[in-house]
Amino acid sequence: MAIRVTRRLLENQFVRFCAVGASGYAVNLAVYAALLGVGLHYLAAAAIAFLVAAASNYLWNRTWTFRTSDAPVLGQGARAFVVSALSLGANQLFLFVFVSAGAGHLAAQAVAIVLATPFSFAANKLWAFAAPPPGGELQPVVVPARRRDS
């Protein structure tokens, strides 16, 4: 019974996204803490840590969560990068606000990651890893010009 429940959960896309996100969260905080430990500025450390975690998450989401490993890497990777960059901007804003308000760097980063996650999930699900439209690429709609009868 427990094995069936576990299998069904792992087949659920949202649960897989959360598992990947949890691993990315751990990667982010570990890289961030290590970079702070070598004296890097907290905002630079956060940017690097976020990008390392985003790369890890992209690979896992591509192959396991959304199972889109047959999609073109360049287009999908570019969309995922845009989502990550926008998420990074939100993360940096939250981090700056919390640190400016007196929060510790690690605690502020932990909360900033959580706050940036809803946007990241929605944008990845609906855009970066979305299935292509039926029939392949989008085609422009041609609208014939209206003739003016004089």
Side-chain angles (χ1 to χ4, degrees), residues 39-126:
L40 200 60
H41 187 273
Y42 77 95
L43 289 175
I48 293 168
F50 194 91
L51 292 173
V52 169
S56 173
N57 286 358
Y58 171 72
L59 292 173
W60 280 108
N61 281 327
R62 177 178 167 81
T63 58
W64 187 54
T65 303
F66 300 111
R67 296 180 179 159
T68 58
S69 57
D70 58 338
V73 173
L74 189 58
Q76 186 183 65
R79 288 189 306 274
F81 180 77
V82 168
V83 171
S84 292
L86 293 172
S87 297
L88 173 59
N91 178 274
Q92 293 283 64
L93 179 62
F94 290 131
L95 179 62
F96 177 77
V97 167
F98 294 142
V99 169
S100 295
H105 291 151
L106 195 57
Q109 175 67 345
V111 173
I113 292 167
V114 170
L115 292 176
T117 296
F119 165 78
S120 180
F121 172 73
N124 277 302
K125 169 93 174 137
L126 299 174

